[in-house]
Amino acid sequence: MADGEFDIIDHYFRPLSHGREDVSLGIGDDAAIVMPPAGQALVMAVDGMVEGVHFPVDTDPADLAWKLLAVNLSDLAAMGARSRWATLYLSLPEHNESFLRRFASGLRDALQAYDVALVGGDTVHGPLSASLQLSGTLPNGQGLRRSGAQVGDHVFVSGTLGDAGAGLALIQERMQASPPEREQLLQRLNRPIPQTELGPQLLDIASSCIDLSDGLVSDLGHILKQSGVGATIEIDKLPLSKALQTVTSDQQARRWALCAGDDYELCFTVPPQRLAQLEAVHAEQPITDIGRITDTPGLALRNGDGSPFEGELAGYDHFKSGERDE
Ligand code: ADP
Ligand code: MG
């Protein structure tokens, strides 16, 4: 590696290595050494982003770095794991001070907010892309999976859905909004809040879990397929933010809630006999019961009066194409 790249590591990334007692050796050697607690299993995920494919060319590097950690935190949360250590692969076309300053500041914000240590990485010369590998832990033998949903289970989602989809429409100038809503929706797209507390709380409660990166229909579809079941979702129960309802029609809001990605909420199933346990979790954070697991394969969408919800999913693939590629 070139000398300039050692300067980059020392200046921007080594300072982010500190802050966890379970790191015995962080940035600066050939590899990092960390200490998982006794009785815990390691859980790992990696996610990368390439300029022009996963983020627009003019994305704020601080938002990019935040999101790079957040999407991985969301994956580990969906397993019920607690995140601890990250490594970063960064490919840069040039030594761009302002990019590095912004990127490191967004990464520092996210690492501190979620108590994760950056313990190593690789910095190379090439087209702009970044990839972050995140490790965490779970008590041995535990872990939420996509398989495990059973007929009769309730289907829940955390938070509100569709906000990031609206944020993307704002960025792409397919929609307009006044400042407070615009800010709120863009924030949901650019600085997603992973459900790092909720995930581990669901370990003894949920029968299956996934994080919503590609949209409810697609991601719940993974649970259904891997569990060998179907589901009925009540459209009127989809949790929508005030901001989303302010900027668009009910029709469009629901379409985003069903099909747009990047919300990073959790979707999980709970057997009826564990609903009482879920109450305590619910008291701490917003979750919504949106439907039931059934023995009819596939996903059925129903209106409040029980009639089938028509028309929306026809446009789903078209709506998604060209927006995301993963
Ligand atoms: P090696 O050649 O042994 O792979 P490098 O010279 O690539 O080591 O990196 C030196 C140290 O800096 C290593 O500890 C590595 O983990 C760390 N490092 C390199 N790039 C990054 C980065 N982008 N973020 C965090 N740590 C990094
Ligand atoms: Mg080496």
Side-chain angles (χ1 to χ4, degrees):
M1 175 197 278
D3 281 352
E5 280 150 7
F6 289 116
D7 292 343
I8 290 176
I9 297 165
D10 276 347
H11 192 76
Y12 295 103
F13 297 120
R14 195 190 292 273
L16 309 185
S17 181
H18 305 295
R20 286 197 66 101
E21 291 185 349
D22 53 14
V23 177
S24 40
L25 186 61
I27 291 173
D29 216 301
D30 290 314
I33 304 177
V34 299
M35 298 172 293
Q40 304 254 322
L42 275 176
V43 186
M44 292 169 232
V46 64
D47 241 312
M49 297 184 181
V50 176
E51 182 178 46
V53 179
H54 301 100
F55 60 96
V57 173
D58 56 359
T59 304
D60 180 346
D63 289 341
L64 175 65
W66 174 282
K67 196 159 175 174
L68 193 58
L69 182 60
V71 299
N72 282 290
L73 286 163
S74 179
D75 280 328
L76 260 62
M79 304 303 293
R82 295 216 174 263
S83 294
R84 295 168 182 268
W85 313 291
T87 57
L88 171 71
Y89 171 88
L90 188 58
S91 168
L92 285 174
E94 65 203 344
H95 187 133
N96 178 334
E97 289 284 339
S98 83
F99 178 93
L100 282 162
R101 197 169 356 91
R102 295 290 301 153
F103 186 88
S105 105
L107 187 59
R108 186 186 53 238
D109 289 349
L111 290 165
Q112 285 178 354
Y114 296 100
D115 192 20
V116 171
L118 183 71
V119 297
D122 200 15
T123 309
V124 302
H125 187 81
L128 183 58
S129 76
S131 177
L132 188 135
Q133 190 270 340
L134 185 64
S135 301
T137 54
L138 264 174
N140 274 338
Q142 291 199 43
L144 302 170
R145 295 164 196 228
R146 296 176 177 187
S147 55
Q150 303 261 341
V151 175
D153 288 358
H154 292 235
V155 180
F156 285 85
V157 291
S158 63
T160 60
L161 305 183
D163 295 329
L168 187 63
L170 287 169
I171 283 189
Q172 294 178 339
E173 297 179 351
R174 288 185 277 122
M175 183 175 73
Q176 312 241 299
S178 45
E181 285 83 23
R182 186 182 165 84
E183 261 320 293
Q184 208 177 313
L185 296 168
L186 288 180
Q187 187 79 1
R188 283 294 308 266
L189 178 69
N190 293 327
R191 296 253 171 168
I193 306 288
Q195 295 300 314
T196 51
E197 288 306 311
L198 177 59
Q201 287 178 313
L202 296 175
L203 275 178
D204 296 321
I205 300 175
S207 52
S208 71
C209 186
I210 191 168
D211 75 314
L212 297 178
S213 53
D214 293 338
L216 179 66
V217 169
S218 169
D219 291 323
L220 176 56
H222 293 306
I223 286 187
L224 302 183
K225 194 161 176 221
Q226 295 193 26
S227 301
V229 295
T232 301
I233 296 304
E234 286 186 51
I235 294 300
D236 293 352
K237 292 191 176 168
L238 293 174
L240 306 174
S241 71
K242 283 229 168 61
L244 181 61
Q245 289 175 292
T246 304
V247 301
T248 192
S249 65
D250 274 5
Q251 182 94 336
Q252 182 59 269
R254 286 166 171 172
R255 184 206 278 254
W256 277 323
L258 288 167
C259 299
D262 276 351
D263 281 323
Y264 298 102
E265 297 293 347
L266 295 182
C267 175
F268 55 98
T269 57
V270 178
Q273 67 273 18
R274 295 201 209 130
L275 290 175
Q277 270 173 278
L278 189 65
E279 277 302 306
V281 174
H282 193 178
E284 284 175 40
Q285 42 215 325
I287 54 174
T288 309
D289 185 342
I290 59 167
R292 296 285 180 283
I293 297 296
T294 67
D295 57 7
T296 310
L299 181 59
L301 303 175
R302 299 247 178 277
N303 295 308
D305 62 5
S307 63
F309 178 78
E310 310 269 10
E312 290 305 293
L313 295 186
Y316 162 59
D317 282 326
H318 168 72
F319 174 70
K320 277 195 64 166
S321 67
E323 287 191 353
R324 297 171 59 83
D325 175 20
E326 128 204 10

